[in-house]
Amino acid sequence: MTLLSVRDLSVSFAGAGAAVQNVSFDMAAGETLAIVGESGSGKSVTSMALMGLLDPRTARISGQAMFQGRDLLQMDEPALQQLRGNEIGMIFQEPMTSLNPVLTIGYQLAEALRRHRGLRGRAALAEAEALLERVRIPAARQRLSEYPHRLSGGMRQRVMIAMAMACNPRLLIADEPTTALDVTVQAQILDLMHRLQQEEGTAILFITHDMGVVAEIADRTLVMHKGRVVEEGETAALFAAPRAAYTRGLLAAVPRLGSMNGVALPQLFPHVDLETGTTRAAAALPDTRRDAMALQVQNLVTRFDLRSGIFKRVTARVHAVEDVSLTLGAGETLALVGESGCGKSTLGRSIMGLNLPSSGHVRLAGDAPLHQQVQMVFQDPFASLNPRLTVGDSIAAPLVIHGMAAAAALAQARVLLDQVGLSAAMAARYPHEFSGGQRQRIAIARALALRPQVIVADEAVSALDVAVKTQVLNLMMDLQVQLGLSYLFISHDMAVVERIAHRVAVMYLGQIVEIGPRAAIFQTPQHPYTKRLLSAVPLPDPARGRARGPVPLREIRSPIVKLGEARPPMAYRQIAEGHLVQDYNLADWAD
Amino acid sequence: MLAYAIRRVLILVPLVFGMAIAAFCLMLFFPGDPVTVLLGEAAPPEQIALMRDSLGLDLPWLQRLGQYLWGVAQGDLGLSIFQRRPVTTIILERLPATVELAVCAMLIAVVLGLVLGVVAALWRGSAIDLGVMLIAQLGISMPVFWLGIMLVYYFSVTLGWLPAISRGPALVPALGQAVTGDPAPLGTALRHLLLPALSLGVGQAAIIARLVRASVLEVIREDFVRTARAKGLSRPRVMVVHVLSNAMLPIISVIGLRFGVLLAGAVLTEQIFGWPGLGQLAISAVSQRDLPLILGLLLTFGLMFAVVNLIVDLLYGLVDPRITLE
Amino acid sequence: MHFIRHNPSLLIGAIITAALCLIAIFAPLLATHGVEQMDMANRLQGPSGAHWLGTDNFGRDLWTRLAYGARLSLGVSIVAVTIAVVIGTVVGLLAGYFGGWVDMVLMRITDIFLGFPALILAMAIVAIIGPGTVNLIVAMVMVFWTEYARVIRAATLSLRSRPYVEAARTTGASHIRIIFREILPNALGPIIILATLGLGTAIITESALSFLGFGLRPPAPTWGGTLSYGTRFLAQTPWLCFAAGLTIMLACLGFNMLGDGLRDLLDPKNRLRKGEATV
Amino acid sequence: QAELASPPDTVRLGFDIDSLSLDARLAAETTSYRLNDLLYDGLVRLDRDLLPQPALATSWEQPDATTLIFHLREGVTFHDGSVLSAEDVVYTYTTMLDPALNARNRSLYTPIAAVTAIDPLTVEFKLAEPYAPLFSYLDLGIVPQALAEGNADFGTTPVGTGPFKLEAWTRGSQINLTANPDYWGGRPAVQNIEVVIVGNGTARAQALAAGDVDLIMTPLPPAETQMLDGMGRFDHTITPAVAFTYVNFNTGDALLSDPALRAALAKLIDQPTIVDQIFGGLDLPASSILMPAFPWVVDDSIAQPGFDMQAAMAELDALGWVMGPAGIRVKDGQELALSIGTNSEDAERIQSVEYLQNVFTGAGIRTEAVIVDYPTFMQGNQGKTYQISFLSWGNLVDPDRAMFGQLRSGGNFNWGSYANPEVDAALDAGRAATTVEERASAYRAAAAVISAEVPYYVISHMQLHTFVSDKLAGFAPDPRGFLTDLAAPAQ
Ligand SMILES: Nc1ncnc2c1ncn2[C@@H]1O[C@H](COP(=O)(O)OP(=O)(O)OP(=O)(O)O)[C@@H](O)[C@H]1O
Ligand SMILES: Nc1ncnc2c1ncn2[C@@H]1O[C@H](COP(=O)(O)OP(=O)(O)OP(=O)(O)O)[C@@H](O)[C@H]1O
Ligand SMILES: [Mg+2]
Ligand SMILES: [Mg+2]
């Protein structure tokens, strides 16, 4: 039975042109339809148009969207209000900002119940508590009176789901509900949504740009590109035999976990042309590793003071990095992985001197000052370039600082731009004139200016779309070959790490729990945390999609330690040559 | 929370002493002698010397500063040279008038500002929005004292509706009387209060209106508002419960700062409306070179400003659950 | 010009400000009478052919006085605000960038100055150092710099941890270089906006000081002075008070609208955002 | 004494400043003087011609030039019920003379060598030298000794023998007086007096117009005076006041020490315009330093130089100050440059200085206006650093008080360092004289020299303008603005 039937939906914005053009699709009751596409392809606008949430003063909407016999696009506001949250629920991308920060969880949940189910007072609260339990939030009763900021991202997203499901809607629209979350948390949320769907028979319109997630949950998939539908079909069929060139390209570009089984060295990503869908395999890379040390971290500890009380005395500390030791070889890529907040960035920043380590050392290969040997590339391409400097000046600045004449430095900047695949003529432009991928190339050029041996790349490609991401990664690998660079590659994307790393270090609560050659970590993970991390990664393969069993709900532990308390030091065990695993207490990791 | 409050109060101590030292040093450079002002043009030099001596005005300045700070530490701000009474007494007598004026002006500012700001935000881009914002712009650009004079000219002189000058009965006791059945004093008090409070409050109302509008527009874009709408809540409900509750937060913190501006503005308003508050007192103290009184007033203003901001910050901590006051 | 339609504030503000500046610059050409040319027989006249805006209490041509007054009032305000902005910026940058005890000391000093009511402080300073253009500027600087220091400090605090600033640090840039090349240019937007809005405040402050008798000495044709005289003749000739007040208000309005317009122009937060919602 | 047609129960007065202290001995501004007149009684009371009349003293005699004996009224009680005695008078004057009290008017009484009580109703004053003006100051309110020594603070809670008692005092805004039922002169018909403080003259005028107050008086802006006149609803009384506005030439200044230059400059002072336009014709143009409030001393034959631009220019030329190329007069390569100063609190004074500056500049004198606030200006005056200042004197209840300190050589406030033996002699004679006629001729002699040598150029003699509503029809203040009419006993 068709629940929702969208015909020729088009949306255009005053002054900005068409965002969505002639989108048509059908959804049956209880089915999951995924909409995938790059950033800006019109996914969110489609969903907002269906909900009637676009500003009628700026958005022009046309077409038809029959929901249970009524056209959503023709309904007046009161009728839509009747529908929203009742017949159609919605979940948004950002769990951090989607809940009202000044109202309690209980109030926000009860609001929907009061609105649509006529519940009042205690009854509403009791029902809210039941809802929280349904999304498996522990200690639901206490949570009712808490404010959103006290909850972790995963919990908030579960509250959002509880809210959206409060009135057992026929249709749930989920706009990138897991994009902002860690993979382990993402797995939990996907699992939860799936189970709720089973229980209630709700249809889900699932918006995402992650092919792995699509493969895992969608019955059918709709691919959007530049506001148009490129392809639609059964998920399995679509993955197996994509018809549209764009879909083919997209699927080819996606890094897949496990694709490196049996491959010894990092590999370039294939060059994918999204327009034509053609893929050109890349040449194999030589082994860049040399028998020398590039950077050594010894027993590094970085803690942040938390102060409180009348005199602002230190009462607790964030143990962001705890006794970390590792060695980065010359020409080697060491990937640092771990969940959000585990201390990856802090470690990188401590190496760079951006955070002062509480103890420990960073040793370098050469005698040159740190800044000439180690450079950093940051995550956000939009924030890492000074908007008031031309990119040429930005790249030349380090050279000028170290004594080069301005003209010579600018000439060198042009060469560097060329080296990262941009044209030298772009040196005179300002950052806002570049796309995200281009900016990240510029940031890399700047990092290269001082000819460092080591580059610390903190989530350097996380903010980029798939196709752009692979291009930048390829550039980094190329540069490694050309310049013999070593990378400390901080990332949470396991599929990417598998492709480019020589060795991998897994971090948890400020400590390295496992470190070893890439193949060893991916194929024979030892530490329970590593295992969990790997199993949570969604695979862009519908055949294997729902193979995973139920995902245990588990909250991330806090790295905050009260003054005087200490975590016991843990020893490392050697499993194989260069594969070390920290001792663990199995009871802590039992599911 | 309590620790935070205590800490903030403790920080006031060095602040007060810092202000006392700064103000005292300022006083050292004042030309003109309060004693000649007090004793008059006709005073013989011996008498002036005698009085300077009795007031300790000729002691080395460090010693005077020391004595003054010691006094401040004991809550003693010295004697007014002119009124020959303790500065604290004089200030406390005048304080209620200024507070009454400032609080009422702030009330007008907040209520007017909120209403106008929300209206403008709701109909943003429309003629209403444009009109409100234009009025706000005019309100901000208008010199307080000019507005005051114009109000007096129009409402008191031309129309004769409201008293032009002076304070009526004190508001708080008048409120009390109104509660116990005699509304007359309250009426008089309000009639006297209306113009000064209005002229003082309008500029602030304009500023608040703009802030509210900007803040509401900012909050409207927030994801949680979309969430609220996706729940099917009605527009007024979303506006009041979700938008305003958040939009008020930045306004609260601004009110503290505005209150400081308002206290300073009261100097002019009080002058125009003959309002017997601290502002008028300050002007006469400066023109008489009543040094202890000027010092005391500067400290009082500074302290009021600090206390208001403290209250605002604490309030902020109460209203916004994200802020842990530690 | 696309932005003008979306930013009428900027346009109107710029027109008013430019007009006033032109009047100030070309006052000698625009003046119809001598700026100090008295005519006691024709004092306090309304607008007429001979005197476009009427005459003041000495029978001087009001238009001429206001035009010359633009020089003084705008000049004093611009100089005072500029100096205050420079001081405030330096203090704010140092406090925000270095933090720690530098911040502590500078901000406590700022707090002390901020606690004193602006007008009384300015009055006291004028009383101490005497009236006069330079002294008036000194007094205004003393009361204005604190606000700039606070705002610039806040801006610096947020800019200090921007990735591009950290990137500069990782290349070994000196503090001076980071402050002046990475932070200051990016704080300039708010500084310019604040300064523009501050000009309006400065003009009002000047007139308030004049009103209280702490303005420039006669026969300086300041707007505040004219307004202050005007209040004396309100019952008799409200026109003088009106005209002077309106001029001050217009100037202030011009600066405020210009400042708002610049804010919209420079601050991306105020631009229409993607996915803007309604209520 | 004028009578109120029908005394109202309650009267509201709009005053310009709050009292600083209601202790009779510490009075320092008009509000205190006016209220003290109602709260206290002195030994004498000054009538409308400022001549002494019996008050607490029913009679007095002067056995010799330096002795005065006063006989007190019997049965007078203070507001607290205690009975007035000679000791109270002795106490009042002794403390007044005590430097520790820091009384503003102490110097008026310093010629008093001793005050003694001869019996409970007789007081004897011994003077160090003959001092004729003393009678003008003997209206000083008498305070009760017993209370004062019991640490009562008359500054905040005045206790006198006057027709009114203090009822309430809200600082800065209102002072309430209530009739003293036991007043020796009879219980006043007016029951309550509410003094409302409104600093701004415009606002005070508006308050009267709006019916918020029943009486306002000088200082009032000219425009407001004209407006109130125009309304025709208010009784407007004009009384010659004991005050004048003047231009002071600093004779200690190198340039201004020359009487010929001063005389030339005096001809540049556009007295008619200043008096009629800037001061709105509220005051009388002066022809000499002798005030019309003292009819017994006025002499129309004495005159100051009048405004005469042509004559002034010619005189300046004659003095060698010839017009230079820049439109500024030059002599021996030096420009004629002067400064004219006044204090910034008074708008009319500022306007006058601005106007004078304009006229002086037109006459080829580079002129600077120095306008600073009162304390700063006084500092300059006392340091004798100003060249020309534009100021006024008030509360000059005796001709001596207008000249002795100002123009006698070495006078306390002789800021222009004026010294002329003829004037000195005349002023001394005025003090030593025993009859009104003697005194008058002494002051005329001094005034004639002053008018000719112009250390002072008196612009105008002030007049007290009083506006009252119907309620107070018939009310007339005395030259000091005293409100004695309000104390008229009930019929
Ligand atoms: N309110 C709006 N006004 C103008 N243009 C808009 C508005 N909302 C969205 N757009 C434009 O519409 C296009 C589609 O946006 P949409 O948010 O649907 O993309 P998306 O596929 O959800 O991308 P992402 O993965 O980044 O969320 C974009 O080019 C966007 O800039
Ligand atoms: N300046 C700081 N002051 C206090 N705590 C900090 C500071 N910087 C980081 N932390 C805390 O240290 C811990 C580690 O943070 P870090 O940014 O290194 O994590 P991460 O692994 O990079 O996480 P993500 O994947 O989210 O970037 C977190 O709990 C964080 O809140
Ligand atoms: Mg989207
Ligand atoms: Mg990180």
Side-chain angles (χ1 to χ4, degrees), chain A residues 192-275:
Chain A
L192 177 68
M193 287 178 70
H194 183 67
R195 273 200 272 166
L196 287 176
Q197 186 182 27
Q198 302 288 297
E199 288 165 22
E200 311 291 344
T202 313
I204 300 182
L205 182 63
F206 198 103
I207 295 173
T208 182
H209 60 253
D210 187 331
M211 287 312 223
V213 172
V214 173
E216 189 155 315
I217 66 154
D219 300 318
R220 285 192 307 125
T221 302
L222 184 123
V223 184
M224 280 185 79
H225 181 50
K226 293 188 176 159
R228 292 175 184 278
V229 177
V230 237
E231 180 164 4
E232 191 204 332
E234 293 290 326
T235 303
L238 188 129
F239 272 72
R243 282 168 315 203
Y246 178 77
T247 320
R248 238 177 294 136
L250 206 58
L251 283 170
V254 175
R256 287 159 197 263
L257 193 64
S259 65
M260 295 287 285
N261 286 356
V263 182
L265 291 174
Q267 255 189 2
L268 290 173
F269 290 91
H271 297 281
V272 177
D273 185 337
L274 282 179
E275 300 301 324

Side-chain angles (χ1 to χ4, degrees), chain C residues 117-159:
Chain C
L119 211 53
I120 294 179
L121 187 61
M123 236 172 81
I125 293 167
V126 174
I128 288 171
I129 59 185
T133 320
V134 175
N135 293 356
L136 182 64
I137 290 172
V138 170
M140 302 213 313
V141 168
M142 294 271 269
V143 299
F144 288 158
W145 71 272
T146 44
E147 191 194 340
Y148 302 117
R150 272 167 69 121
V151 175
I152 303 301
R153 173 180 174 270
T156 308
L157 275 180
S158 89
L159 288 172

Side-chain angles (χ1 to χ4, degrees), chain D residues 90 116 121 134 188 199 209 290 304 321 329 376 427 456 459 484:
Chain D
V90 173
T116 40
L121 290 178
L134 181 63
L290 303 173
Q304 304 176 123
W321 292 105
R329 291 176 183 275
T376 313
L427 293 177
Y456 263 32
I459 303 262
T484 324

Side-chain angles (χ1 to χ4, degrees), chain D residues 319-488:
Chain D
L319 285 168
W321 292 105
V322 290
M323 202 60 100
I328 301 295
R329 291 176 183 275
V330 188
K331 178 162 129 182
D332 305 331
Q334 187 204 347
E335 285 193 337
L336 183 54
L338 289 170
S339 64
I340 307 182
T342 192
N343 65 306
S344 59
E345 283 84 355
D346 187 316
E348 278 72 41
R349 285 186 204 169
I350 299 175
Q351 290 183 68
S352 303
V353 167
E354 189 170 354
Y355 179 62
L356 282 181
Q357 180 199 33
N358 197 276
V359 178
F360 274 44
T361 311
I365 304 168
R366 186 179 294 286
T367 318
E368 188 198 1
V370 178
I371 293 165
V372 288
D373 74 342
Y374 185 74
T376 313
F377 193 73
M378 282 320 293
Q379 192 176 39
N381 248 343
Q382 283 163 339
K384 304 184 186 197
T385 54
Y386 292 145
Q387 288 186 293
I388 305 175
S389 33
F390 189 104
L391 288 170
S392 62
W393 285 107
N395 203 26
L396 304 167
V397 288
D398 194 277
D400 174 81
R401 210 169 157 185
M403 289 186 262
F404 194 89
Q406 289 90 336
L407 293 162
R408 198 191 180 284
S409 53
N412 274 342
F413 25 106
N414 185 348
W415 301 316
S417 308
Y418 181 63
N420 182 306
E422 237 178 301
V423 172
D424 290 358
L427 293 177
D428 290 343
R431 284 202 159 185
T434 44
T435 65
V436 166
E437 291 72 27
E438 275 177 303
R439 297 192 71 204
S441 71
Y443 295 130
R444 284 177 191 143
V449 181
I450 292 164
S451 290
E453 291 212 324
V454 273
Y456 263 32
Y457 182 93
V458 183
I459 303 262
S460 61
H461 292 296
M462 293 192 203
Q463 305 191 98
L464 187 73
H465 292 255
T466 312
F467 288 92
V468 293
S469 64
D470 298 347
K471 252 178 156 179
L472 290 178
F475 175 90
D478 89 338
R480 296 164 293 175
F482 283 11
L483 308 157
T484 324
D485 281 2
L486 298 182

Side-chain angles (χ1 to χ4, degrees), chain B residues 137 146 153 210 221 229 235, chain C residues 238 241 260 269 278-279:
Chain B
Q137 199 62 272
W146 190 59
Y153 179 70
R210 282 156 40 112
R221 298 177 182 143
R229 294 195 62 212
R235 277 162 196 263
Chain C
C241 194
D260 279 355
K269 255 203 315 206
T278 51
V279 162

